[in-house]
Amino acid sequence: MTSFNAPKFTKTAKELIYSVSNAFRILGRKYHALKVEVWGNCVYVWAKGQVSRFVSKKAFTQKFVDFRKAGAVGLDVVKVPFETGEYMVKSASKDGSYLVQCLTDKLTCTCQDYQTQAAAMNKACCKHCYATLNYLGFDSLSAYIAS
C-alpha cells in the first residue's frame, strides 16, 4: 500500500474544477498562457490572440469527473481478504496500491487526489474509487449510494 503524504497546500474546489488543465481537456489542446476566470454561472477561458470562450460550469465539472473515470479504465482491483468493503487498487503510474474502502454513503481512498478533493469539497471520487465502482458494477458514485 502506498503511504499518504499530506498536501503541501490545500486547493479550493474552484481551483480543482475550474483549472487550466481542465480547460485544456475541454478545448482539446494546449494553448500558451491560457487563463481561466469564473464569472457567475460560467467560466471565461482565454489565451491572448488565440482563444476566447465562455464554458458552462457544468461542462467543467463533467470534464473533471470524466477525466477520473477515464483514468479508472484498466486499473486492477482486488478484494481485500477477510475485510468487508475494502479493495486494493494497483497504481497505474508507479509501484504500489491504494486502499479503497466502501462505506454506506461514500468511498474513501488513500491516494493524494482523493485527499485533495475531500479537503477542498468535503466529497471526493478519484480514479481508484471509480475503478472500484466499476468492479462492483456501478457506473457512478450516486448509483452506489442509492443501492
Side-chain angles (χ1 to χ4, degrees), residues 71-100:
V73 174
L75 291 180
D76 292 327
V77 178
V78 177
K79 171 81 175 88
V80 175
F82 311 111
E83 294 294 332
T84 303
E86 290 189 0
Y87 299 85
M88 295 302 294
V89 182
K90 184 156 177 31
S91 173
S93 59
K94 57 186 174 187
D95 289 337
S97 297
Y98 296 100
L99 177 66
V100 174

Side-chain angles (χ1 to χ4, degrees), residues 1 29 33 46 83-84 86 96 102 109 117 125-126 142:
M1 182 169 69
R29 61 180 274 210
W46 61 277
E83 294 294 332
T84 303
E86 290 189 0
C102 299
C109 184
Q117 287 183 50
C125 200
C126 63
S142 56

Side-chain angles (χ1 to χ4, degrees), residues 110-128:
T110 55
C111 78
Q112 185 66 52
D113 183 41
Y114 181 91
Q115 304 301 325
T116 302
Q117 287 183 50
M121 300 183 281
N122 296 323
K123 60 181 178 177
C125 200
C126 63
K127 65 183 177 184
H128 309 105

